[in-house]
Amino acid sequence: MSRDVLFFIIVILIVIFQISFLYDFTFFRNFLNIVLISVVLLTLFSSYQKGFIFAVTAGLLLDIYSPYNFGIITIALIVPVFLIWYLFKKLFARKTTYSLSIAMIVTTISFHLVIWLLTNIFYWFNLNNITLYLTRGYIISVSYTHLTLPTN
């Protein structure tokens, strides 16, 4: 079996484990994100490209089951990869326990901050109510509900 196929199978298994098993327990659902931990560790110990591919693949799979708009989890998983790249290229010289702890804290905060920021942006501009009308396989129009300004 190719390494790439094995890599994607591991990504899928980690996402399935998080969605199916950890979601049933309230403590694990709120405080433990195995996908984020895997993205951080893979980015730190393997390469930034593998971390980015893992973040995109796992983010797209998690977006299917998330209550947020599609793409928010993917963007929130990609941002920590770039933060880790910046931290270890510009600030930290070596990968010590302290730098790894700081990286985990910064990426966790950035993950939740990006989700909060994007959901609020979608809410402020009412972009969470976009409806696509499809007819004969073509997009005819996009209906923005509640996007019109109130009239006095």
Side-chain angles (χ1 to χ4, degrees):
M1 190 178 328
S2 173
R3 284 183 175 238
D4 295 333
V5 173
L6 184 64
F7 179 74
F8 283 111
I9 289 173
I10 290 172
V11 171
I12 291 170
L13 288 176
I14 289 173
V15 170
I16 288 173
F17 180 73
Q18 180 168 338
I19 291 171
S20 64
F21 181 70
L22 293 182
Y23 196 72
D24 292 335
F25 302 108
T26 310
F27 176 76
F28 293 134
R29 178 179 52 213
N30 294 334
F31 297 111
L32 184 65
N33 191 345
I34 290 184
V35 173
L36 182 63
I37 293 170
S38 301
V39 165
V40 170
L41 293 178
L42 187 69
T43 304
L44 286 173
F45 294 119
S46 181
S47 68
Y48 299 111
Q49 291 84 12
K50 283 188 180 180
F52 181 78
I53 292 170
F54 187 93
V56 169
T57 308
L60 290 174
L61 290 173
L62 286 173
D63 274 331
I64 295 171
Y65 296 103
S66 74
Y68 306 116
N69 290 1
F70 194 78
I72 289 180
I73 301 290
T74 305
I75 294 170
L77 284 174
I78 290 173
V79 168
V81 173
F82 288 114
L83 281 175
I84 290 172
W85 174 80
Y86 179 76
L87 285 175
F88 283 94
K89 277 285 193 210
K90 304 288 183 183
L91 298 177
F92 298 127
R94 290 182 279 138
K95 295 176 184 172
T96 62
T97 307
Y98 298 117
S99 64
L100 294 176
S101 301
I102 290 172
M104 288 298 281
I105 291 169
V106 166
T107 55
T108 303
I109 291 171
S110 70
F111 176 78
H112 291 290
L113 187 67
V114 166
I115 288 178
W116 177 80
L117 185 66
L118 288 176
T119 52
N120 281 332
I121 287 173
F122 276 103
Y123 178 74
W124 291 331
F125 294 110
N126 281 327
L127 297 177
N128 52 350
N129 294 326
I130 295 177
T131 310
L132 296 176
Y133 292 104
L134 302 174
T135 304
R136 296 184 188 167
Y138 299 105
I139 298 176
I140 290 182
S141 64
V142 177
S143 169
Y144 292 95
T145 57
H146 302 85
L147 191 59
T148 58
L149 297 173
T151 57
N152 291 334

